Amino acid sequence: MAEIERNLGEDAGAVPPAPAQPEPTTQPTLADWQAAAAKEVKGRDLTWQTPEGIDVKPLYTAADVTADPGLPGFAPFTRGVRASMYAGRPWTIRQYAGFSTAEESNAFYRRNLAAGQKGLSVAFDLATHRGYDSDHPRVVGDVGKAGVAIDSVEDMKILFDGIPLDQMSVSMTMNGAVIPILAFFIVAGEEQGVERRLLDGTIQNDILKEFMVRNTYIYPPEPSMRIIADIIAYTSAEMPKFNSISISGYHMQEAGATQVQELAFTIADGREYARAAMAAGLDIDKFAGRLSFFFAIGMNFFMEVAKLRAARVLWHRVMTDLGAKDERSKMLRTHCQTSGVSLQEQDPYNNVIRTTVEAMAAMLGGTQSLHTNALDEAIALPTDFSARIARNTQIVLQEETGMTKVVDPLGGSYYVEALTQALVDQAWAIIERVEGEGGMAAAVAAGWPKAMIEEAAAARQARVDRGEDVIVGVNKYRLKDEDPIDILDVDNHAVREAQVARLNRIRATRDEAACQKALAALRTGAAGNDNLLALAVDCARARASLGEISSSMEIAFGRYGTQPTPVSGIYGGAYQDEERWARLARGVEATERRLGRRPRMLVAKMGQDGHDRGANLVSSMFGDLGFDIVPGPLFQTPAEAAALALERQVDMVGASSLAAGHKTLIPELIGHLRDAGRPDIKVIAGGVIPAQDYQALRDAGVQAIFGPGTNLIAAAEEVLRLLGHNMPPEQDAAE
């Protein structure tokens, strides 16, 4: 004890002297921080500008927050649509999937559900999207490739075999053929013993964005808007648990839109749909609660978090202006999907990291459900292996991180709140322009939203090609050698044969008189004012096919088609002062002198794939370089593309492929050119083409292949070599 007392001091019980008080200090000011930061970076400006034109500072303070975000679950729902958000119940884990036949997709769904997936998101093949049965001659290369083939209610029943539709939420990405697909779903439920009122899920049913970016439309805009109103009316009365529309910005961002553009046009689309339903006599507070949204989540992390928060503010404003009284009518509920465009073929395991970052942004932004893309989806549909990793990404975030235990954990961040307000203000300016010009349908008809998105896409591609926007493993830190990965390969011919056989059986065994009577009623209803979905349900019960239902409406409405119009000056403007671009331009001029005219390229989109971002970028870039570009119409057959190439006397056809039809369509195109005596017209291929398919395409006669992540400047150099321009740079300048 004495030892302890000596260590504590002579008097262990004495009160120790008070510590010396620190000298008073002044809190550092913003100017102090600016001086310190400037010293650290030697005066370099740390402010940067986003593609949306938003200046982002390196430091945000309370002075930058100009709006009160309120509390979760309360208007304007900036911080979330539910008071408890994920602390009460986490988001729904979905997986957007579908391929080959209904049997194959059903087996895939059941495996995923057993492994922790909570809801289904169905991907349909392009033949189905465009309203064609699998035996139609225009869809030979499309059946079962980019989704599941659904030709009849029998396919839909197989798709959900063993999956109780009164217990499972089903999301269906369908727009063009939305009437027959939803009718098949309703009848499949009936024949499973599930009443319509118990069906839970969402149908996308968003046609305006199809006319802007995705292009899987069938009918012109006016009857397409009628279809949407009919579906909203039917589901409001008959299917109270079912979301009648999912207003989608996802495909806009995938087509190249900035986040401001995606946000503004999506909210403006939603306003247009709400007005269409109101014009049809529906009470806004009766249907508004069944509207949902769908956004892309890309790699600009905080921008994506703020975008979802801003979307809720904007939708609350729009619905208030439209006269909604119930606060639930003003809630923006959303599904999100991680970006497909951010996925890369090169060094593909980086895609796991990208998807994880994007999933976190969706969660921190407050999504209600989420699909995470698989690492191999840059080049093919996911395998079971890659789908499991994608699904587990969400499960790990929910189960291991603790991130779900706090409501809106980024709420109150000076940066996030300031960014949210900036997005609200910029998006609202575009929404007001749309309103001033007569609404979104009028804007789509005028074409300026599509042109705006294509300009943003061209600017983005130029930044990537110049290395200004870094993509790890693509334009920086690239591997010397790429190891191949296993991908899912669908045998298109076998799938088509199976679908055609089932179609033939249905037609041979159905009550033909009853089927034709139902189809006749649908044709009459389309020419009149009857509800199209109600009539199509009768057709589905009578075993009419998807193509028969679609063509019955087409008689009244017609089939819509558009001609691509590439933007100009955006890509070339980014390179105008660079010698590499000037050298290429001299090469084009030299080729023009040799040919006696500008080199001419047909950019062809064959099959039913309407995703035209890649084709438009190629057209824009080569056009800026001096090529004479022939932008082919969408949805051509190989025979039609060959005929156009012959008519316009092109030197080259650039075939753009995204939906895995390249192994069927491109060799057929080459065959038509050879049969016409023009094997000299060179065919090149670009887009989502797995490396495993390159040799088969070369064997068929393809001269060059440009896969995902291709630098367009390097592609132009290869194209000029194919056209016979092989001079070294110093000789170019002397010509």
Side-chain angles (χ1 to χ4, degrees):
M1 187 67 182
E3 180 73 20
I4 293 174
E5 290 179 353
R6 280 196 299 272
N7 288 337
L8 290 174
E10 290 185 3
D11 184 358
V15 177
Q21 293 297 314
E23 292 293 324
T25 59
T26 303
Q27 287 290 329
T29 65
L30 185 58
D32 294 329
W33 173 85
Q34 289 170 333
K39 183 177 180 181
E40 289 173 3
V41 298
K42 298 180 173 56
R44 179 163 47 91
D45 185 8
L46 296 179
T47 300
W48 63 284
Q49 190 175 74
T50 72
E52 293 78 13
I54 297 173
D55 289 325
V56 177
K57 305 183 298 182
L59 179 69
Y60 285 78
T61 68
D64 295 298
V65 179
T66 59
D68 181 1
L71 291 171
F74 293 89
F77 307 109
T78 313
R79 303 191 65 185
V81 295
R82 297 172 62 240
S84 62
M85 285 303 289
Y86 309 140
R89 184 181 68 203
W91 68 90
T92 300
I93 298 172
R94 294 190 184 275
Q95 196 141 27
Y96 179 53
F99 60 93
S100 185
T101 62
E103 291 92 341
E104 291 280 348
S105 293
N106 173 261
F108 186 76
Y109 294 160
R110 291 169 74 166
R111 290 195 298 271
N112 290 353
L113 291 170
Q117 185 176 315
K118 300 300 183 185
L120 293 177
S121 292
V122 182
F124 299 95
D125 74 355
L126 291 165
T128 302
H129 273 289
R130 294 271 293 143
Y132 293 116
D133 287 334
S134 295
D135 58 358
H136 197 285
R138 298 195 72 87
V139 299
V140 172
D142 296 300
V143 177
K145 294 295 284 187
V148 61
I150 298 293
D151 292 316
S152 71
V153 71
E154 295 300 329
D155 288 331
M156 191 70 80
K157 288 171 66 178
I158 294 168
L159 188 67
F160 296 115
D161 182 42
I163 299 173
L165 293 178
D166 56 347
Q167 300 174 33
M168 181 59 57
S169 171
V170 177
S171 173
M172 293 179 285
T173 299
M174 177 52 65
N175 302 281
V178 63
I179 287 286
I181 285 296
L182 190 48
F184 293 161
F185 179 70
I186 291 167
V187 175
E190 287 177 0
E191 298 186 6
Q192 201 185 82
V194 178
E195 297 178 41
R196 288 194 294 276
R197 64 183 180 82
L198 298 177
L199 292 173
D200 188 4
T202 303
I203 189 82
Q204 192 163 100
N205 194 27
D206 173 7
I207 203 64
L208 287 174
K209 68 94 174 45
E210 298 294 330
F211 294 117
M212 276 193 286
V213 292
R214 190 164 175 257
N215 300 314
T216 54
Y217 43 70
I218 301 176
Y219 314 110
E222 186 175 349
S224 296
M225 291 297 289
R226 174 193 164 181
I227 286 171
I228 289 169
D230 280 2
I231 289 172
I232 292 174
Y234 184 96
T235 54
S236 295
E238 303 286 338
M239 303 166 69
K241 297 177 65 178
F242 198 82
N243 295 321
S244 54
I245 190 168
S246 174
I247 304 148
S248 174
Y250 180 87
H251 305 94
M252 298 181 201
Q253 189 180 138
E254 294 291 278
T258 66
Q259 276 92 332
V260 164
Q261 292 166 357
E262 177 194 8
L263 180 58
F265 293 138
T266 304
I267 297 297
D269 279 351
R271 178 161 61 181
E272 193 85 353
Y273 296 138
R275 281 182 171 153
M278 293 166 69
L282 298 177
D283 181 339
I284 188 171
D285 284 313
K286 290 290 192 291
F287 69 80
R290 304 319 303 171
L291 305 180
S292 67
F293 287 78
F294 175 29
F295 287 103
I297 303 295
M299 285 297 289
N300 192 339
F301 184 85
F302 289 104
M303 185 73 76
E304 296 292 6
V305 172
K307 181 184 75 183
L308 296 185
R309 302 170 97 251
R312 292 192 287 271
V313 174
L314 290 167
W315 187 240
H316 185 273
R317 185 183 298 179
V318 164
M319 294 304 280
T320 300
D321 290 347
L322 290 177
K325 299 294 190 292
D326 187 341
E327 284 299 304
R328 290 185 56 81
S329 298
K330 305 175 187 180
M331 292 180 180
L332 181 143
R333 305 161 182 83
T334 190
H335 169 71
C336 290
Q337 180 173 337
T338 60
S339 174
V341 167
S342 72
L343 302 178
Q344 303 299 325
E345 178 186 30
Q346 295 82 3
D347 205 359
Y349 292 104
N350 288 337
N351 294 334
V352 177
I353 304 164
R354 294 185 178 104
T355 295
T356 302
V357 170
E358 291 166 351
M360 288 174 59
M363 184 275 288
L364 291 168
T367 190
Q368 276 62 68
S369 71
L370 178 62
H371 162 79
T372 33
N373 286 328
L375 66 95
D376 49 1
E377 286 190 72
I379 52 175
L381 293 169
T383 62
D384 278 10
F385 170 78
S386 65
R388 178 173 176 269
I389 295 172
R391 181 178 57 252
N392 284 350
T393 299
Q394 295 194 56
I395 295 173
V396 168
L397 288 178
Q398 286 190 359
E399 302 287 350
E400 295 189 23
T401 64
M403 296 170 75
T404 61
K405 298 185 184 303
V406 175
V407 179
D408 189 25
L410 289 184
S413 157
Y414 301 141
Y415 177 38
V416 168
E417 300 297 354
L419 199 53
T420 299
Q421 191 59 45
L423 286 169
V424 167
D425 294 342
Q426 290 207 12
W428 189 250
I430 295 176
I431 293 168
E432 289 287 85
R433 177 185 172 185
V434 170
E435 186 73 359
E437 297 186 19
M440 200 62 200
V444 168
W448 65 264
K450 182 177 180 67
M452 184 183 286
I453 290 170
E454 289 180 1
E455 289 173 4
R460 159 70 172 168
Q461 185 63 44
R463 292 195 304 273
V464 171
D465 286 351
R466 288 163 59 90
E468 295 168 359
D469 287 4
V470 173
I471 301 178
V472 174
V474 177
N475 62 4
K476 196 172 184 180
Y477 310 111
R478 182 134 188 193
L479 293 175
K480 183 179 179 181
D481 298 302
E482 296 277 353
D483 293 327
I485 60 171
D486 292 331
I487 62 169
L488 180 67
D489 187 28
V490 174
D491 185 342
N492 162 245
H493 297 289
V495 174
R496 188 168 186 269
E497 287 175 4
Q499 289 299 120
V500 171
R502 183 177 292 138
L503 269 170
N504 290 338
R505 286 195 300 272
I506 290 169
R507 289 171 180 153
T509 57
R510 71 190 181 187
D511 182 335
E512 192 63 27
C515 182
Q516 293 306 322
K517 182 180 178 181
L519 289 170
L522 177 59
R523 287 193 294 272
T524 301
N529 297 307
D530 295 335
N531 188 286
L532 295 170
L533 180 54
L535 293 169
V537 168
D538 292 337
C539 295
R541 289 193 190 105
R543 281 353 189 223
S545 71
L546 176 131
E548 290 169 331
I549 294 172
S550 297
S551 61
S552 294
M553 292 187 290
E554 187 179 340
I555 290 169
F557 301 152
R559 184 172 277 269
Y560 187 72
T562 56
Q563 179 71 37
T565 305
V567 299
S568 62
I570 303 297
Y571 195 97
Y575 276 92
Q576 60 185 354
D577 298 324
E578 292 200 10
E579 175 55 29
R580 191 179 183 190
W581 180 268
R583 188 170 68 248
L584 282 170
R586 291 192 295 270
V588 174
E589 291 167 1
T591 304
E592 179 180 356
R593 289 194 293 272
R594 180 168 52 80
L595 295 174
R597 57 167 173 75
R598 293 197 295 169
R600 189 171 299 143
M601 179 192 295
L602 166 63
V603 178
K605 283 290 296 182
M606 296 180 290
Q608 299 305 305
D609 170 28
H611 295 83
D612 58 357
R613 172 180 179 160
N616 290 337
L617 286 173
V618 168
S619 296
S620 298
M621 192 280 287
F622 278 91
D624 286 355
L625 201 54
F627 275 68
D628 183 7
I629 294 296
V630 179
L634 298 177
F635 315 122
Q636 284 190 311
T637 64
E640 290 167 343
L644 182 59
L646 296 169
E647 175 193 332
R648 297 296 300 272
Q649 292 294 294
V650 304
D651 306 296
M652 178 174 287
V653 178
S656 174
S657 175
L658 180 72
H662 49 269
K663 289 195 292 186
T664 302
L665 300 171
I666 297 176
E668 188 177 334
L669 166 68
I670 293 170
H672 286 302
L673 293 174
R674 286 174 177 162
D675 291 345
R678 292 300 309 274
D680 58 301
I681 295 178
K682 295 174 174 59
V683 175
I684 60 175
V688 180
I689 302 175
Q692 291 91 322
D693 294 348
Y694 282 15
Q695 192 56 52
L697 291 176
R698 293 188 181 110
D699 292 344
V702 174
Q703 302 273 316
I705 302 167
F706 305 105
T710 292
N711 183 297
L712 290 183
I713 298 298
E717 292 169 340
E718 176 64 17
V719 166
L720 282 175
R721 281 193 289 272
L722 289 172
L723 291 175
H725 183 77
N726 294 306
M727 291 183 174
E730 58 270 21
Q731 287 184 276
D732 277 1
E735 286 185 324

